[in-house]
Amino acid sequence: MEEVVLKATDVSEKVCEWRPPEQLRQLLDLELRDSGEPHGRLLALCRDVIRYSVKTNHPRFFNQLYAGLDYYSLVARFMTEALNPSVYTYEVSPVFLLVEEAVLKKMIEFIGWKEGDGIFNPGGSVSNMYAMNLARYKFCPDIKEKGLSGLPRLILFTSAECHYSMKKAASFLGIGTENVCFVETDERGKMIPEELEKQVCQAKKEGTAPFLVCATAGTTVLGAFDPLNEIADVCERHGLWLHVDASWGGSALVSRKHRNLLHGIHRADSVAWNPHKMLMAGIQCCAFLVKDKSDLLKKCYSAKASYLFQQDKFYDVSYDTGDKSIQCSRRPDAFKFWMTWKALGTLGLEERVNRALALSRYLVEEIKKREGFKLLMEPEYANICFWYIPPSLRETEEGPEFWAKLHLVAPAIKERMMKKGSLMLSYQPHRGKVNFFRQVVISPQVSREDMDFLLDEIDLLGRDM
Amino acid sequence: MEEVVLKATDVSEKVCEWRPPEQLRQLLDLELRDSGEPHGRLLALCRDVIRYSVKTNHPRFFNQLYAGLDYYSLVARFMTEALNPSVYTYEVSPVFLLVEEAVLKKMIEFIGWKEGDGIFNPGGSVSNMYAMNLARYKFCPDIKEKGLSGLPRLILFTSAECHYSMKKAASFLGIGTENVCFVETDERGKMIPEELEKQVCQAKKEGTAPFLVCATAGTTVLGAFDPLNEIADVCERHGLWLHVDASWGGSALVSRKHRNLLHGIHRADSVAWNPHKMLMAGIQCCAFLVKDKSDLLKKCYSAKASYLFQQDKFYDVSYDTGDKSIQCSRRPDAFKFWMTWKALGTLGLEERVNRALALSRYLVEEIKKREGFKLLMEPEYANICFWYIPPSLRETEEGPEFWAKLHLVAPAIKERMMKKGSLMLSYQPHRGKVNFFRQVVISPQVSREDMDFLLDEIDLLGRDM
């Protein structure tokens, strides 16, 4: 255990010990046999698992929208693993239900609602599904019983830069991906409200049934924030549910300095916000929050299982929140975040967000200074998107040939960094732009030296390309 | 930590330290403030959380379909909490993806399929949703893009004793709860195949579109197993997808003695099986398994996010299984089960199942011997459903008055056991039957003495009623 925690955060250790699938399968003894293995063998297996696992807590792991290790949250997670609760009824999870209530209440306060409701669930994608289904229920409660068959086409709107879970949700919920209208964004990746309104009007003209707008606060690739106030105006004018996917950007709400990124969020009907990202609560910790207080969530989701939600219990059964969920057993994900919040206070959380965004600024300035690095755009948040241009391309004109060659650079550098184990950082093509790196700063265990190292290392790995 | 693990399994400690919500809220300092708390205060908070949490690992916790503590799984869970992986791409979770593959392969073997596919997900309810959506996709792939609007009513069939998640799934997926046909069961709670066929024919006659039959292997309340072979015959005749919800009963497959309970399961198109129940892998550990090997799961669920599932990676991207999931980030739930399986071997798992079912038999025989206890029916599995008839009712004839009074007994005894903290056991009314207890035996840490205690304690608590 010590080994996992210490090695994983030690900058002198590797981020990963890369092995291709076929080779790793041979290195690990994965097979499950009739007889059990002796303890010595199991320990060796554990060591192998740790050795070949990616150290997501490592100061040089920048590959996803989460990173770093919060020790308070970790203690809480060890406790809940040992207690093994399932959060559906008060009788089985009294403490964790009250903790969830307290955390939701505080998050609702930060959104700026006077009251509200919510539930923790396994992922921002699932939160977005909750929102889509709830908006649909509000639009037409009969759908719960009757289904969509025979109804006009339900249409929803989201930005062209939204998370891919919107498409997944539309297909899963029987709405269909063709009924997701992608609204054009400006050059910074923000939804254009005028375009939204045009599309809504067009949809109405075509006789379809618009019911939901999903704005994004912190897009996955560019970290862009949609203009919530203007979008809320459009929603109000057309009577549409406004959901804000703030899975990534929601954490800026705890910072007085940066919360204006989400200006207008209090006008949303629902919000997805994942403290497991910038607030480091550990995967997964995802809240779905709803402004409505008329028990819409429960009405929409309840199935009233009489073996679990007995109405003749000796306590107030309104605490049995399991019937608001699409799950039956559910993990106490709010607790780990509560522990960190208790330990750091709101001010401590704020400091973390401020620190991450200050470090992002530092990296941006460094990129501007260095030869061979080129920013995609000025970032709003902690996503810093940039190209590395190897010396051989620096004199080439920025034409088709340049871009075609540059497209190959990031994947090749990524391969080298993985094999060396020095760094992990994601790359992607994006809406006509060739492969670029996306650096994300989250962990408070990360320093300016790590930013410098990042650029040095990319240059070192790509210099001969 | 020691305290959690040791106290929680010590039979001389209480199962729970009951406090009503209002009181518990005062006892715990739940509020999240601007400033953090000092370490001493945090430790005291942790102790309170442990103190007032239900000890689901306690030998006298029989309240849900999970119980007990498996130390191998717990070590694995501590490891994954410390490593904090997300299982979507091979580059971030090489070990855990291969482990998942190995566990799925073995589970598929036990189902009796030659090959197959699958994914671990957060709960049996979610597995059932996966099944419903996949069956629908197979029935009409266009629904992914076009949605259900304008289509004929899709109809599915399940037993009247099925888990409530079938209704939740139908409503969530836009199918509608009214399009779930509940098929009548026999006196033991098993679906009647002739009734199923009648309803399918009727639905076809009415011009609706039947697409799925969901059989249950181990119902939630009675622990009944639907006759899979006969149901598979009906499905074959009518070209319907057969999903088996073996969330609870699937674990009998590892026992040569009891696997015939699921005779015919190899004919299913998909199966839900939760090792976190009888195999004690820890919440949550739930596999959704599919017979199809034409990549149906991926075709149905993929959204092809280019920032995560880049196609120009330097390794075989077929290992990036995240696009088969409705989630984006996903926990490595297969790993804890793999660890237990490694440690005990299949024979060790088998012994646990055999032991739990032998202990269930013991309890049944004891109930028959004792005055004041009345079995609902001979159980097939580990659910032992029975009434406790207090002395004051033992001479009363079994008429409406008797049943009305008996209905109040179980809730009253439950209240007393919770307040005393001696035992936790669920009760429910069920399909016209008044409140009865459901005892479930799972944990290998439970003995005949615990069974005797259970009956003694119920008698002690209810004797004066």
Side-chain angles (χ1 to χ4, degrees):
Chain A
M1 193 46 53
E2 232 176 65
E3 203 174 333
V4 195
V5 176
L6 295 182
K7 270 205 179 169
T9 53
D10 182 353
V11 73
S12 66
E13 296 280 338
K14 287 182 170 187
V15 181
C16 61
E17 184 70 53
W18 169 262
R19 294 289 183 282
E22 314 69 39
Q23 198 185 331
L24 185 56
R25 201 185 275 123
Q26 280 169 354
L27 285 168
L28 293 169
D29 173 23
L30 292 165
E31 212 192 316
L32 299 163
R33 304 190 181 82
D34 284 348
S35 303
E37 311 270 357
H39 282 187
R41 185 84 198 93
L42 291 173
L43 262 177
L45 272 173
C46 287
R47 282 209 194 91
D48 283 345
V49 166
I50 294 165
R51 177 167 182 203
Y52 297 113
S53 284
V54 171
K55 310 301 181 291
T56 67
N57 304 322
H58 194 285
R60 281 153 194 183
F61 177 82
F62 303 110
N63 210 68
Q64 315 294 147
L65 296 181
Y66 74 94
L69 181 58
D70 178 279
Y71 292 98
Y72 302 108
S73 155
L74 188 61
V75 167
R77 282 135 74 189
F78 286 170
M79 280 172 64
T80 47
E81 287 301 336
L83 286 165
N84 201 31
S86 177
V87 188
Y88 31 47
T89 62
Y90 183 81
E91 69 186 75
V92 182
S93 273
V95 176
F96 300 114
L97 275 172
L98 293 185
V99 164
E100 180 165 12
E101 184 190 67
V103 175
L104 288 171
K105 189 167 162 258
K106 200 74 186 170
M107 293 176 88
I108 283 166
E109 231 178 273
F110 275 94
I111 290 174
W113 295 334
K114 283 201 193 79
E115 44 179 15
D117 196 1
I119 194 157
F120 275 80
N121 64 69
S125 297
V126 178
S127 289
N128 289 338
M129 287 188 178
Y130 266 93
M132 203 178 280
N133 187 42
L134 195 63
R136 175 169 76 178
Y137 179 76
K138 175 86 180 182
F139 180 75
C140 174
D142 276 359
I143 291 173
K144 184 176 178 181
E145 282 91 31
K146 308 258 176 226
L148 292 168
S149 150
L151 286 182
R153 275 170 58 202
L154 293 182
I155 302 278
L156 64 109
F157 305 84
T158 183
S159 119
E161 300 267 343
C162 76
H163 190 251
Y164 72 103
S165 56
M166 295 311 290
K167 269 172 81 173
K168 287 218 175 196
S171 121
F172 200 58
L173 268 60
I175 290 170
T177 52
E178 285 180 5
N179 296 316
V180 182
C181 292
F182 294 100
V183 179
E184 212 26 75
T185 55
D186 65 16
E187 74 289 344
R188 296 189 72 184
K190 296 152 110 58
M191 191 197 283
I192 303 167
E194 296 74 25
E195 287 296 320
L196 169 65
E197 188 145 34
K198 247 192 254 170
Q199 290 210 25
V200 172
C201 293
Q202 182 63 26
K204 282 184 166 174
K205 220 184 281 172
E206 285 168 8
T208 60
F211 74 108
L212 165 70
V213 173
C214 173
T216 313
T219 60
T220 317
V221 177
L222 305 177
F225 287 74
D226 287 344
L228 301 182
N229 240 337
E230 289 79 357
I231 293 173
D233 289 341
V234 178
C235 289
E236 254 178 44
R237 276 198 291 278
H238 297 274
L240 299 174
W241 183 283
L242 174 57
H243 171 65
V244 178
D245 179 0
S247 294
W248 168 225
S251 299
L253 287 171
V254 300
S255 160
R256 281 162 293 181
K257 193 169 170 189
H258 298 289
R259 57 170 300 138
N260 59 343
L261 285 168
L262 297 109
H263 186 62
I265 193 167
H266 63 283
R267 297 176 65 189
D269 295 292
S270 61
V271 171
W273 175 1
N274 297 2
H276 79 225
K277 297 188 192 284
M278 193 170 270
L279 298 176
M280 296 171 60
I283 286 185
Q284 284 153 326
C285 186
C286 308
F288 171 62
L289 302 143
V290 194
K291 193 197 264 165
D292 172 275
K293 268 298 279 186
S294 73
D295 243 2
L296 194 66
L297 198 54
K298 195 159 191 174
K299 284 180 209 148
C300 176
Y301 285 96
S302 68
K304 303 198 174 96
S306 60
Y307 79 93
L308 198 55
F309 306 113
Q310 303 92 330
Q311 295 302 301
D312 55 0
K313 283 178 179 173
F314 66 98
Y315 60 86
D316 176 358
V317 293
S318 72
Y319 286 91
D320 290 355
T321 57
D323 218 15
K324 292 199 294 200
S325 164
I326 57 165
Q327 301 176 267
C328 180
S329 61
R330 192 165 62 91
R331 296 172 55 90
D333 291 333
F335 178 63
K336 50 194 176 184
F337 181 41
W338 178 81
M339 188 65 88
T340 301
W341 204 331
K342 269 284 183 195
L344 300 179
T346 306
L347 295 173
L349 295 181
E350 179 180 36
E351 201 187 303
R352 279 201 184 164
V353 172
N354 289 347
R355 196 175 184 288
L357 292 176
L359 218 47
S360 303
R361 276 321 310 170
Y362 172 79
L363 184 65
V364 167
E365 297 312 319
E366 285 305 302
I367 287 175
K368 287 182 188 166
K369 280 185 213 158
R370 294 210 187 197
E371 205 193 352
F373 288 85
K374 185 181 163 75
L375 272 181
L376 232 81
M377 64 181 66
E378 281 290 331
E380 283 189 277
Y381 198 46
N383 310 40
I384 298 117
C385 297
F386 64 91
W387 286 287
Y388 172 73
I389 303 160
S392 69
L393 273 175
R394 286 183 199 161
E395 305 303 314
T396 316
E397 211 185 320
E398 291 190 5
E401 195 197 325
F402 170 85
W403 293 114
K405 280 188 179 161
L406 190 59
H407 187 58
L408 306 174
V409 171
I413 293 181
K414 175 75 178 256
E415 175 171 0
R416 289 180 182 182
M417 71 172 73
M418 291 286 294
K419 288 183 174 168
K420 189 176 171 192
S422 55
L423 186 69
M424 278 182 75
L425 173 75
S426 84
Y427 75 86
Q428 61 280 300
H430 186 65
R431 313 198 72 214
K433 299 225 163 66
V434 305
N435 277 324
F436 55 88
F437 287 113
R438 180 197 64 176
Q439 159 67 349
V440 182
V441 187
I442 294 175
S443 163
Q445 288 122 0
V446 167
S447 65
R448 289 188 170 201
E449 287 69 43
D450 292 310
M451 297 299 104
D452 294 338
F453 174 83
L454 171 90
L455 300 179
D456 290 344
E457 183 70 9
I458 289 176
D459 189 40
L460 186 71
L461 294 169
R463 203 176 287 167
D464 63 343
M465 283 179 184
Chain B
M1 195 42 56
E2 232 176 66
E3 204 174 334
V4 195
V5 176
L6 294 183
K7 270 206 179 168
T9 54
D10 182 353
V11 74
S12 67
E13 296 279 339
K14 285 182 171 189
V15 181
C16 61
E17 185 71 51
W18 169 261
R19 293 290 183 282
E22 312 71 40
Q23 199 184 330
L24 186 56
R25 201 185 275 122
Q26 280 169 356
L27 284 168
L28 293 170
D29 172 25
L30 293 165
E31 212 192 316
L32 299 163
R33 305 190 181 80
D34 284 349
S35 302
E37 312 270 357
H39 281 189
R41 186 82 201 92
L42 291 173
L43 262 177
L45 272 173
C46 287
R47 282 209 194 88
D48 282 346
V49 167
I50 294 166
R51 177 165 181 204
Y52 297 114
S53 284
V54 170
K55 310 301 180 293
T56 67
N57 304 321
H58 194 284
R60 280 151 196 185
F61 177 82
F62 303 111
N63 210 67
Q64 314 295 146
L65 295 182
Y66 74 94
L69 181 57
D70 179 278
Y71 292 98
Y72 302 107
S73 156
L74 189 61
V75 167
R77 282 134 73 189
F78 285 170
M79 280 171 64
T80 47
E81 287 301 335
L83 287 165
N84 201 30
S86 178
V87 187
Y88 31 47
T89 61
Y90 183 81
E91 69 185 74
V92 182
S93 272
V95 175
F96 300 114
L97 275 172
L98 293 185
V99 163
E100 180 166 12
E101 183 189 68
V103 175
L104 289 170
K105 190 167 161 257
K106 200 74 185 171
M107 292 176 88
I108 284 166
E109 230 178 275
F110 275 94
I111 290 172
W113 295 334
K114 283 202 194 80
E115 45 180 14
D117 197 0
I119 194 156
F120 275 79
N121 63 69
S125 297
V126 178
S127 289
N128 288 338
M129 287 187 176
Y130 267 93
M132 205 178 279
N133 187 42
L134 195 63
R136 175 169 77 178
Y137 179 76
K138 175 85 180 182
F139 179 74
C140 172
D142 275 359
I143 291 174
K144 183 176 177 180
E145 283 90 31
K146 307 257 177 226
L148 291 169
S149 149
L151 285 183
R153 276 170 59 204
L154 292 183
I155 302 278
L156 64 109
F157 304 84
T158 183
S159 119
E161 301 266 340
C162 77
H163 190 252
Y164 71 102
S165 56
M166 296 309 292
K167 268 171 84 174
K168 287 218 176 196
S171 121
F172 200 60
L173 268 61
I175 290 170
T177 51
E178 286 180 4
N179 296 316
V180 181
C181 292
F182 293 101
V183 179
E184 213 25 75
T185 55
D186 65 16
E187 74 289 346
R188 295 189 72 184
K190 295 151 111 58
M191 191 197 281
I192 303 169
E194 295 75 24
E195 287 296 321
L196 169 65
E197 187 143 34
K198 248 192 252 170
Q199 290 209 25
V200 172
C201 293
Q202 182 63 26
K204 283 185 168 175
K205 223 184 277 173
E206 287 168 6
T208 61
F211 74 108
L212 166 68
V213 173
C214 173
T216 313
T219 61
T220 316
V221 178
L222 305 177
F225 287 74
D226 287 344
L228 302 181
N229 240 336
E230 289 79 355
I231 293 173
D233 289 340
V234 178
C235 291
E236 254 178 41
R237 276 198 292 276
H238 296 275
L240 300 173
W241 183 284
L242 174 57
H243 171 64
V244 178
D245 179 0
S247 294
W248 169 224
S251 299
L253 287 170
V254 300
S255 159
R256 281 161 294 182
K257 194 170 169 188
H258 298 289
R259 58 170 300 139
N260 59 342
L261 285 167
L262 298 109
H263 186 62
I265 194 166
H266 63 283
R267 298 176 65 190
D269 295 294
S270 61
V271 171
W273 173 2
N274 297 3
H276 78 225
K277 298 188 193 282
M278 192 169 271
L279 297 176
M280 297 170 59
I283 284 182
Q284 286 153 326
C285 185
C286 309
F288 171 62
L289 303 143
V290 194
K291 193 197 263 165
D292 171 275
K293 269 297 279 183
S294 73
D295 244 0
L296 194 66
L297 198 54
K298 193 159 191 175
K299 283 180 211 150
C300 175
Y301 285 96
S302 68
K304 303 197 175 96
S306 60
Y307 79 93
L308 197 55
F309 307 111
Q310 304 90 331
Q311 295 303 301
D312 55 0
K313 284 178 179 173
F314 66 97
Y315 59 87
D316 176 359
V317 293
S318 73
Y319 285 90
D320 290 356
T321 58
D323 218 16
K324 291 199 296 200
S325 166
I326 57 166
Q327 301 175 268
C328 180
S329 61
R330 192 165 62 92
R331 298 172 54 89
D333 291 333
F335 178 62
K336 49 193 176 184
F337 182 40
W338 179 80
M339 189 63 90
T340 301
W341 203 332
K342 269 286 185 195
L344 300 179
T346 306
L347 296 173
L349 295 180
E350 178 180 37
E351 201 187 304
R352 281 202 182 162
V353 173
N354 289 348
R355 196 175 184 287
L357 292 175
L359 218 47
S360 305
R361 274 324 306 172
Y362 172 80
L363 183 66
V364 167
E365 297 311 320
E366 284 304 302
I367 286 175
K368 286 182 188 167
K369 278 185 213 157
R370 295 212 187 194
E371 207 194 350
F373 288 86
K374 186 182 161 76
L375 273 181
L376 232 81
M377 64 181 65
E378 281 290 332
E380 283 188 278
Y381 198 45
N383 310 40
I384 298 118
C385 296
F386 64 92
W387 286 287
Y388 171 73
I389 303 159
S392 70
L393 273 176
R394 286 185 200 160
E395 304 303 315
T396 316
E397 213 186 317
E398 292 190 3
E401 196 197 325
F402 171 85
W403 292 114
K405 282 188 176 160
L406 191 60
H407 187 58
L408 306 174
V409 171
I413 293 180
K414 175 73 180 257
E415 176 171 1
R416 290 180 181 181
M417 71 172 73
M418 291 285 295
K419 288 184 172 166
K420 188 174 170 193
S422 55
L423 186 69
M424 278 183 73
L425 172 75
S426 85
Y427 76 85
Q428 60 278 300
H430 186 64
R431 311 199 74 216
K433 297 225 164 68
V434 304
N435 277 324
F436 55 88
F437 287 114
R438 181 197 63 176
Q439 158 69 346
V440 182
V441 187
I442 293 174
S443 161
Q445 287 121 358
V446 166
S447 66
R448 289 189 169 198
E449 286 68 44
D450 293 309
M451 297 298 105
D452 294 338
F453 174 83
L454 170 90
L455 300 179
D456 291 344
E457 183 69 9
I458 289 175
D459 190 39
L460 186 71
L461 294 169
R463 202 175 287 166
D464 64 342
M465 282 179 185

